[in-house]
Amino acid sequence: MASALAAPAWAQDNVPAEPQAAPQEAEPQAGDIIVRGLRREETLQDTPAAITAFTSEAIESAGIEKPADFMALTSNVNLVETQNAGNAFVIIRGITQARNSEPSVAVVVDGVQQVNPAQFNQELFDIDQIEVLKGPQGGLYGRNAIGGAIIITTKQPTDTLEGRVKVGIDNGFGYSVRGGISGPLAEGIKFRLGGSLVDTNGYIYNPYLKEDADPYRDYAVRGNLLIDPAPGLTIDLRASGAWLRTQALYFNIVTDVNDTHLPVRVNNAGQNDRDMYNLSMKVDYDTGAGTLTSITSYDTLTEVLTGDAFDFLPIDESFFNGLLGFDMNQSQFLDVKAWSQELRFASPTGRRFEWMVGAYAIGTKRFISTGNMVDTGQGVFPVFHHPSTNPINPQATFLADDQDNFAWAGFANATYKFTDQVRVDASLRYDHDRRKNTTLTPTAFLPVVPGFSAGATGDVRRKSYKEWQPKVTLTWEPTRDLTLYGGYSKGFRSGGFNQSGVGAIAAANGIVGVGDTFEAETAETFEAGLKAQLFDRHVTFNASAYTTKSQNSYFFVFLAANSTQNLGNVPEVRLKGFELEATAHPVEGLDLNAGLGVTYSDIKKFPDPTIIGNEAPLISRYTLNLGAQYKKEIGDSGISPLVRIDYRLTGKTWFDIQNSTVRDPVGLVDARAGLNTDHWSITAFANNLFDKKYNAEFSPGGFVFKARPRIYGLEAGYKF
């Protein structure tokens, strides 16, 4: 589906038929948006899928600088930001995510699929295009594409020297610098280097510590070498790093998610440090009979999280201090290393029958430790692989697990064009995920629950998950401005391990559906849609409707007894919904957009019968987007004023399987105004313009995490 305020396609012309009598195709014209989400290039209008696409111009005009920005402009898509940078939940059409879970979408950056959900929520800079595909894409992208796929394309190396820089300030007080430079190095070698720096004191005040609870500093850099050593051969080398320093775990405890009156009053500022590195190499070789592609990637991620613990109040007011005579704080450490390799062969394009075959493999080593320490009022210190021996923070509880996972897949995609108007797309992928978990919790810290076994130090658990994922779509284009499509797709998300001993603790506390392992999830979707361009393509209208059967969807449980974050399964959830989207270009310089996404969820099966019939967690009933943008050059001055306003209304949202509370609809307004030329720009902005107070998340147990208030500032950019 068309992006918010993305330029509509104005014209297309048929090109001559291929010698093999392939159906004629419309040649892309100026203004057409070219998307790659279905693993081939074609116009957004011709793509038989619900896709929201943001071009580089739309990204710049909308001020998209992080995932939350483009997801807020996309119907039936939500991003829930919570306790730490590595935990941000993507929800597409009711397919949800939870803490420490596998992702709900495949995220592909420049052809390389991200391997860790903790990578997703990071700064976006030097970006050329973003595509959001809705609905299971397992046949194309494999495990974890159960809710959809997000395709991010960065700006590519150029043949001539060029660059850009943008600086900004906000009311944090914060400042930012983002930019990129590109050009040739030698014959057949081009480079691009991009980076960003964002630094703010924060926006959410903690009156107890007399400082902001959410200071944020992020450095990131990305380098790219594009090498053409021989005709038909291209080598794309990339390296990136990102270093985040912030704070987290500044919860409040309430019974109603709409209760926002409490200030943050944790007595431990804590820390949230995340370091990420990536190396990748993509090789394309045109053999004449088709293109052979190899993609190799290596990623590392470490994140340490410390802060206050339940009930997130100063020591003399805390629950545990009143009950036991001492308060608690907490720490979590995550260390992930992963390699991946994809190899595929694709037929030439522009033919009646196009196909692709390939294989994929990924190996992941993951260590996680969590624990509580006694809060002596002297701060909280990180705990890594072993329990703390720091007398300032005596260790009270500690759990640690090591995972060694290997997954592989084989896949095939094909398109057959029966006529100029009718085609079928089919994909089939088989994923096999083998997981091994080793308990590294020292014996002294293993939970002891009478009547239950919590395992032993050194215990090894093994489990495998596998699934076939088909996808088939039939498309009919009766005219060049109308596309009708319908089909079936299946997605798959691996199961895994909760930390050792969780099952015993859950059983002892009467919690149903949570054990030492959680099962794989599948989602089967039937979908139908249309894309229309009207009034000489000055108006676009897109609609889609879907029904999904989700089996073993995730839900989150926090076990206070051992301070662990755990996943359980809901045996069956039914999801139904639709999207309506429109853009209009009534006069030169003015663009309007509207989008409505609706999702109904219904828990059909669960061990506790009181849960059946409830809404699934983290799902919003609807999203409504309205936007307007005016940008037009003043005479022949070369100066174009920009005025843009976006309104997003997120409907009632449920957060737990008990439906213990429901958040009222939240309406937010973002605004931007400035001046642009071919080389420079200056823009004033305000996010959450009317300073709406709401909680971004409610977690079982009554934990609420405050959303950011109004943020406003000024940006200036220069291009050469």
Side-chain angles (χ1 to χ4, degrees):
M1 294 188 176
S3 72
L5 303 182
W10 302 116
Q12 289 181 323
D13 294 314
N14 287 338
V15 298
E18 295 287 333
Q20 61 271 42
Q24 293 182 327
E25 294 183 354
E27 182 180 348
Q29 300 295 310
D32 282 343
I33 299 174
I34 305 300
V35 295
R36 305 166 185 85
L38 298 188
R39 288 191 180 252
R40 63 174 176 271
E41 291 190 357
E42 59 185 337
T43 66
L44 182 61
Q45 170 63 27
D46 292 335
T47 304
I51 300 180
T52 300
F54 300 90
T55 64
S56 58
E57 182 179 356
I59 291 169
E60 186 172 345
S61 297
I64 293 173
E65 296 175 343
K66 54 187 181 296
D69 296 333
F70 70 81
M71 301 187 85
L73 297 171
T74 308
S75 61
N76 254 347
V77 176
N78 285 297
L79 181 71
V80 178
E81 297 182 273
T82 182
Q83 68 178 40
N84 61 302
N87 267 322
F89 314 144
V90 181
I91 299 96
I92 298 183
R93 290 181 169 181
I95 300 296
T96 62
Q97 192 177 336
R99 286 173 172 79
N100 300 318
S101 78
E102 293 294 325
S104 57
V105 297
V107 180
V108 182
V109 182
D110 293 326
V112 180
Q113 190 161 334
Q114 288 188 352
V115 297
N116 190 325
Q119 295 173 277
F120 177 64
N121 196 22
Q122 58 179 290
E123 297 296 318
L124 299 174
F125 57 93
D126 214 25
I127 302 298
D128 188 60
Q129 185 157 302
I130 301 169
E131 301 169 32
V132 182
L133 284 74
K134 302 171 189 174
Q137 305 296 329
L140 293 170
Y141 295 103
R143 66 192 187 109
N144 302 336
I146 188 167
I150 297 173
I151 314 300
I152 299 174
T153 304
T154 64
K155 291 187 179 298
Q156 302 301 295
T158 55
D159 293 317
T160 58
L161 184 65
E162 67 170 41
R164 61 182 62 211
V165 63
K166 182 171 70 172
V167 298
I169 57 172
D170 67 37
N171 60 310
F173 173 78
Y175 67 91
S176 63
V177 182
R178 295 178 172 87
I181 187 169
S182 178
L185 287 177
E187 184 69 27
I189 302 177
K190 296 179 286 188
F191 83 98
R192 189 166 198 103
L193 183 65
S196 76
L197 164 61
V198 181
D199 193 332
T200 181
N201 294 329
Y203 311 94
I204 300 173
Y205 189 62
N206 179 341
Y208 182 82
L209 294 178
K210 295 181 173 57
E211 63 184 32
D212 288 322
D214 60 333
Y216 180 93
R217 178 178 296 173
D218 184 276
Y219 306 88
V221 64
R222 179 175 58 246
N224 177 203
L225 279 179
L226 191 61
I227 306 170
D228 298 313
L233 177 63
T234 302
I235 301 173
D236 191 343
L237 301 174
R238 295 176 182 267
S240 65
W243 305 269
L244 172 66
R245 301 294 180 263
T246 184
Q247 294 171 187
L249 296 170
Y250 40 92
F251 289 107
N252 288 127
I253 308 296
V254 298
T255 57
D256 181 359
V257 67
N258 300 294
D259 185 350
T260 61
H261 83 281
L262 293 173
V264 170
R265 297 184 64 236
V266 295
N267 65 278
N268 289 294
Q271 70 183 92
N272 179 192
D273 298 348
R274 184 185 65 181
D275 295 344
M276 300 186 295
Y277 300 91
N278 170 262
L279 292 171
S280 69
M281 179 176 68
K282 181 182 178 185
V283 180
D284 290 295
Y285 179 57
D286 186 350
T287 67
T291 301
L292 180 66
T293 300
S294 170
I295 302 173
T296 308
S297 180
Y298 179 74
D299 293 87
T300 68
L301 181 146
T302 58
E303 184 173 22
V304 62
L305 179 69
T306 72
D308 224 353
F310 184 87
D311 53 359
F312 304 97
L313 290 173
I315 293 176
D316 58 352
E317 300 178 40
S318 69
F319 171 80
F320 282 119
N321 188 55
L323 182 68
L324 304 174
F326 58 87
D327 196 14
M328 308 287 283
N329 51 39
Q330 60 182 304
S331 183
Q332 176 175 294
F333 176 60
L334 177 67
D335 183 11
V336 183
K337 297 178 175 64
W339 62 266
S340 64
Q341 175 64 53
E342 181 173 333
L343 191 66
R344 63 177 184 257
F345 189 81
S347 69
T349 60
R351 299 184 176 183
R352 182 182 298 275
F353 178 58
E354 298 176 13
W355 52 268
M356 176 191 297
V357 295
Y360 177 80
I362 178 173
T364 305
K365 290 186 178 295
R366 177 180 183 268
F367 173 87
I368 186 171
S369 67
T370 60
N372 283 116
M373 292 81 70
V374 176
D375 189 351
T376 61
Q378 302 179 70
V380 57
F381 299 89
V383 177
F384 298 97
H385 290 86
H386 307 286
S388 171
T389 57
N390 187 341
I392 295 177
N393 257 158
Q395 195 82 46
T397 68
F398 182 82
L399 292 176
D401 286 282
D402 182 76
Q403 293 186 11
D404 188 353
N405 305 327
F406 175 74
W408 62 269
F411 58 87
N413 311 323
T415 297
Y416 186 76
K417 301 169 184 175
F418 295 97
T419 68
D420 290 354
Q421 290 78 36
V422 180
R423 84 184 206 199
V424 63
D425 295 86
S427 305
L428 182 63
R429 180 167 175 138
Y430 178 77
D431 278 83
H432 188 283
D433 193 353
R434 185 199 68 206
R435 304 199 163 206
K436 182 176 78 170
N437 187 94
T438 303
T439 301
L440 298 181
T441 305
T443 301
F445 287 94
L446 286 169
V448 177
V449 181
F452 297 94
S453 172
T457 306
D459 277 356
V460 176
R461 295 178 286 162
R462 292 182 173 87
K463 198 160 185 180
S464 293
Y465 305 91
K466 52 193 175 183
E467 192 66 56
W468 288 96
Q469 298 174 86
K471 177 180 173 69
V472 60
T473 305
L474 182 64
T475 305
W476 178 39
E477 296 186 72
T479 71
R480 21 192 321 206
D481 292 329
L482 178 62
T483 301
L484 305 171
Y485 64 91
Y488 165 84
S489 58
K490 185 175 185 178
F492 158 69
R493 175 162 50 180
S494 275
F497 300 97
N498 290 319
Q499 289 187 265
S500 302
V502 161
I505 296 290
N509 286 272
I511 296 174
V512 176
V514 176
D516 280 11
T517 64
F518 52 93
E519 297 304 314
E521 179 185 1
T522 60
E524 296 181 83
T525 295
F526 290 92
E527 178 179 358
L530 68 86
K531 298 182 176 185
Q533 298 182 113
L534 310 169
F535 307 112
D536 197 24
R537 302 193 173 190
H538 283 70
V539 174
T540 68
F541 175 75
N542 305 319
S544 59
Y546 68 92
T547 178
T548 298
K549 177 183 177 181
S550 168
Q551 294 182 290
N552 291 324
S553 63
Y554 297 162
F555 72 94
F556 172 76
V557 171
F558 174 75
L559 287 177
N562 57 0
S563 191
T564 54
Q565 303 168 16
N566 308 287
L567 299 179
N569 293 113
V570 179
E572 185 178 331
V573 176
R574 294 282 182 161
L575 302 164
K576 297 179 181 179
F578 63 88
E579 289 118 22
L580 302 174
E581 297 182 344
T583 66
H585 183 73
V587 296
E588 185 179 359
L590 179 62
D591 291 289
L592 307 173
N593 80 288
L596 173 66
V598 175
T599 298
Y600 293 92
S601 69
D602 185 5
I603 296 176
K604 292 292 188 181
K605 296 179 182 178
F606 196 77
D608 179 354
T610 65
I611 302 299
I612 295 173
N614 283 357
E615 302 279 346
L618 294 175
I619 295 177
S620 301
R621 170 66 75 236
Y622 62 84
T623 62
L624 173 65
N625 291 88
L626 300 172
Q629 176 179 298
Y630 182 79
K631 183 180 180 182
K632 186 177 183 295
E633 184 178 355
I634 302 174
D636 296 324
S637 65
I639 300 175
S640 301
L642 167 71
V643 179
R644 179 187 177 105
I645 188 164
D646 288 291
Y647 174 70
R648 163 84 164 201
L649 180 63
T650 303
K652 286 186 175 181
T653 305
W654 293 263
F655 289 93
D656 57 14
I657 58 174
Q658 292 82 14
N659 291 178
S660 61
T661 186
V662 56
R663 191 180 68 191
D664 294 336
V666 174
L668 302 176
V669 175
D670 297 337
R672 298 175 66 81
L675 298 173
N676 297 266
T677 72
D678 290 340
H679 296 289
W680 59 263
S681 65
I682 184 166
T683 307
F685 67 89
N687 298 326
N688 189 4
L689 177 64
F690 297 108
D691 201 22
K692 172 71 175 179
K693 302 294 192 297
Y694 67 102
N695 289 314
E697 189 215 8
F698 177 96
S699 184
F703 303 79
V704 290
F705 200 74
K706 284 184 177 295
R708 280 183 164 179
R710 176 173 52 225
I711 300 174
Y712 57 89
L714 193 67
E715 297 174 340
Y718 178 73
K719 304 175 187 177
F720 65 87

